[in-house]
Amino acid sequence: LESERELVGALETFEAAERVDPGSSHAGYNAARVLNRLGKHEEAFARYRRVLKTDPGNPFVHNNIGMLLDLRGDLSGAMRIR
């Protein structure tokens, strides 16, 4: 398992990549994954939603948004994710 320090370092790297290439869905997706691992679920959710604007068909993003909605207790919202 990664330490919190390693996760924070990874997040900083992905955020730097986003500043270089703001349209990079890969950097945004990976930043959202790290935020989720850090327990920052609302920030992860918002980041995933931004990724969908540039990569609307990404099944991994849809899956992770669905899981976060389920975590919120919004099972019906999770089931509607497309």
Side-chain angles (χ1 to χ4, degrees):
L1 293 173
E2 302 93 352
S3 70
E4 184 172 340
R5 185 174 52 123
E6 291 172 316
L7 289 170
V8 169
L11 179 59
E12 290 169 354
T13 299
F14 292 129
E15 288 176 337
E18 282 184 302
R19 285 190 296 276
V20 171
D21 182 6
S24 171
S25 63
H26 296 292
Y29 171 75
N30 285 309
R33 289 183 63 215
V34 172
L35 286 164
N36 193 39
R37 296 284 302 266
L38 288 168
K40 298 180 178 188
H41 304 298
E42 291 306 313
E43 289 178 55
F45 183 81
R47 187 72 59 101
Y48 282 131
R49 298 294 289 181
R50 283 202 315 255
V51 171
L52 283 180
K53 291 179 182 176
T54 58
D55 192 4
N58 187 318
F60 300 106
V61 175
H62 286 275
N63 178 69
N64 292 351
I65 287 174
M67 290 186 347
L68 286 171
L69 287 169
D70 184 39
L71 185 66
R72 284 181 178 172
D74 185 0
L75 184 57
S76 65
M79 298 296 288
R80 287 191 308 269
I81 292 297
R82 297 185 211 149

